[in-house]
Amino acid sequence: MNDKKTYGFTTTILHSDRQKGIEHGSLHKPIHTSVTFGYEDARQLAEVFQGKQPGYRYGRQGNPTVAALEDKITKMEDGKSTICFATGMAAIGAIVQGLLREGDHVVSSAFLFGNTNSLWMTVGAQGAKVSMVDATDVKNVEAAITANTRLVFVETIANPRTQVADLKRIGELCRERGILYVVDNTMTSPYLFRPKTVGAGLVVNSLTKSIGGHGNALGGALTDTGEFDWTRYPHIAENYKKNPAPQWGMAQIRAKALRDFGGSLGPEAAHHIAVGAETIALRQERECKNALALAQMLQADERVAAVYYPGLESHPQHALSKALFRSFGSLMSFELKDGIDCFDYLNRLRLAIPTSNLGDTRTLVIPVAHTIFYEMGAERRASMGIAESLIRVSVGLEDTDDLVADFRQALDA
Ligand SMILES: *Cc1c(COP(=O)(O)O)cnc(C)c1O
């Protein structure tokens, strides 16, 4: 496996652990639970601490099982390096902790995962400014940029209303201005889309969702694609400039965010996620097929007021999605007509399970305004296009006919 040939997406994932040598013939990377890593020679320990030779020291900063997953995700994103975190939010938080300072400015899509929205409020209160814009049009991003703008942050397909950011043009704008472009790829996953292809410098993935894929482990990752020139970033401390320039950003994030804030991924979770990742292509093919069938059935039903899914031709960014993504993802949402109570509807579903989380093997549904977006209040929800009756669906792997029939019988009942 050390040859130079480039393999397909799944082949590469399946064989990535073997590239650095297999331990004891174990085809899965073993779960290393040791918190600390010792050396016979105390001088070697010092050299590892000083970064003069590679090696592990203390589990918060690195672990062999986690490092194997980091390599796998780097390959999935066709990037240069990856740092894993305990959750997706810890990965996004690491961008704030590692890169932002008082007086900095961030331009962010207004259509965001709820907790990222909440995080930007915290950042705003702590002295950096965040402008929230409709990122489906690059003009809004451009208008918000100031001399202090350090990064632009967008999601690919926004959760839950499925707006698709103007990904390519925002990438061109960021490159022109020398601004770091961060793309949260969770909703597409590296199988459907690689943000590197539109110029993203950093890619966020919540590993909890499609990559782990089985709802049994939390995790997050930041991948450096190599597209951003870190010599243009003003806050890299001298200490991290000892590395070659392409590594500056990740060196600072690993020390200032992962090490100092400690949101490290555990080795057991890394193992679950690595096993889950092996089948992501197969799962996504099935989920996308199911999601399209479900969206088409709901759109054709007169009891449904609106359906949001990028795979529908009626979706405002359908053409853009088709051009950029391999398929349209497993996230969709819909509104029922007045007079149908969304709670009654959800309670009639037999297969789809009312709960949060996304990218599970099972289909999950949630009344957005009453749960995950409750805390932000009606005004902010309205500005994000979220109706009080909106139901989000994370489409799973069930047999297509069973799934479509379940959503239909709940309308009929
Ligand atoms: C779930 C999610 C996150 C956060 O990930 P956790 O692993 O739950 O912390 C971030 N961004 C998006 C788009 C998500 O769906």
Side-chain angles (χ1 to χ4, degrees):
M1 270 308 280
N2 285 316
D3 52 44
K4 288 269 182 312
K5 182 176 176 348
T6 48
Y7 291 100
F9 186 86
T10 296
T11 312
T12 303
I13 298 173
L14 292 177
H15 295 278
S16 84
D17 289 349
R18 293 202 294 145
Q19 289 186 335
K20 293 202 171 149
I22 339 182
E23 299 172 44
H24 313 294
S26 169
L27 294 187
H28 282 290
K29 183 72 184 179
I31 304 173
H32 290 276
T33 57
S34 186
V35 161
T36 196
F37 299 85
Y39 297 88
E40 298 277 326
D41 179 351
R43 284 190 188 83
Q44 193 182 353
L45 177 70
E47 294 210 333
V48 168
F49 261 80
Q50 292 163 21
K52 289 176 183 152
Q53 61 166 289
Y56 298 97
R57 30 192 180 152
Y58 184 64
R60 176 159 29 77
Q61 293 147 58
N63 166 288
T65 313
V66 175
L69 178 63
E70 289 174 342
D71 273 351
K72 213 183 283 280
I73 291 164
T74 299
K75 291 190 175 77
M76 291 168 87
E77 287 289 359
D78 189 28
K80 298 290 182 216
S81 65
T82 295
I83 304 175
C84 282
F85 296 87
T87 64
M89 285 317 300
I92 299 172
I95 298 171
V96 175
Q97 292 146 1
L99 298 178
L100 293 180
R101 294 197 189 154
E102 194 178 345
D104 282 349
H105 179 242
V106 172
V107 180
S108 169
S109 167
F111 309 129
L112 282 178
F113 180 64
N115 299 151
T116 307
N117 178 76
S118 171
L119 175 67
W120 291 143
M121 301 296 145
T122 308
V123 168
Q126 289 177 351
K129 265 192 71 179
V130 184
S131 302
M132 305 274 214
V133 302
D134 176 350
T136 58
D137 186 343
V138 68
K139 287 198 199 86
N140 301 323
V141 175
E142 187 165 20
I145 288 176
T146 71
N148 293 330
T149 303
R150 298 287 165 250
L151 61 94
V152 171
F153 184 98
V154 301
E155 294 177 7
T156 50
I157 302 175
N159 161 15
R161 263 288 312 275
T162 75
Q163 299 96 332
V164 178
D166 200 353
L167 290 159
K168 205 165 164 208
R169 290 203 185 88
I170 298 173
E172 287 158 6
L173 173 70
C174 288
R175 184 184 297 271
E176 220 175 86
R177 302 290 181 87
I179 296 170
L180 177 62
Y181 184 25
V182 184
V183 175
D184 183 336
N185 197 28
T186 304
M187 280 306 117
T188 23
S189 89
Y191 178 64
L192 299 183
F193 177 60
R194 280 176 168 155
K196 179 184 173 177
T197 60
V198 293
L202 286 180
V203 180
V204 175
N205 277 292
S206 167
L207 306 176
T208 317
K209 314 290 173 55
S210 305
I211 293 181
H214 293 74
N216 62 350
L218 291 157
L222 279 186
T223 300
D224 186 333
T225 63
E227 291 292 302
F228 182 66
D229 174 6
W230 287 101
T231 62
R232 298 188 74 163
Y233 203 83
H235 320 314
I236 302 292
E238 286 308 316
N239 206 15
Y240 308 112
K241 291 188 182 172
K242 287 180 204 143
N243 301 290
Q247 296 168 21
W248 289 2
M250 293 299 256
Q252 180 156 312
I253 290 170
R254 193 174 277 279
K256 292 281 116 183
L258 181 70
R259 185 194 65 195
D260 293 0
F261 283 84
S264 317
L265 182 66
E268 293 90 349
H271 170 74
H272 283 304
I273 293 162
V275 174
E278 295 186 350
T279 54
I280 184 172
L282 301 169
R283 288 184 284 107
Q284 292 259 18
E285 294 288 346
R286 174 67 161 257
E287 286 166 7
C288 293
K289 174 172 169 261
N290 279 355
L292 184 62
L294 190 56
Q296 284 169 338
M297 183 279 282
L298 290 169
Q299 191 176 44
D301 196 295
E302 60 191 14
R303 293 159 293 190
V304 176
V307 184
Y308 306 103
Y309 183 62
L312 294 174
E313 277 171 28
S314 57
H315 190 283
Q317 290 94 34
H318 175 69
L320 176 72
S321 307
K322 202 169 169 177
L324 290 179
F325 309 148
R326 195 194 292 255
S327 186
F328 304 101
S330 58
L331 173 80
M332 53 165 291
S333 55
F334 66 101
E335 295 161 22
L336 294 163
K337 287 232 168 104
D338 286 348
I340 311 177
D341 184 275
C342 73
F343 289 102
D344 289 342
Y345 179 80
L346 292 174
N347 288 339
R348 287 196 291 267
L349 290 166
R350 294 176 188 141
L351 294 175
I353 305 163
T355 185
S356 58
N357 196 24
L358 298 159
D360 200 321
T361 45
R362 301 156 189 82
T363 296
L364 311 178
V365 286
I366 195 159
V368 175
H370 308 276
T371 55
I372 47 177
F373 282 49
Y374 180 73
E375 186 183 304
M376 66 177 59
E379 200 177 314
R380 175 90 178 101
R381 280 198 295 275
S383 79
M384 294 170 89
I386 293 164
E388 298 300 295
S389 71
L390 189 76
I391 294 171
R392 181 186 77 186
V393 189
S394 168
V395 179
L397 302 179
E398 291 88 351
D399 293 284
T400 313
D401 293 348
D402 290 340
L403 194 64
V404 171
D406 190 36
F407 281 77
R408 189 183 288 126
Q409 66 77 25
L411 283 168
D412 293 339

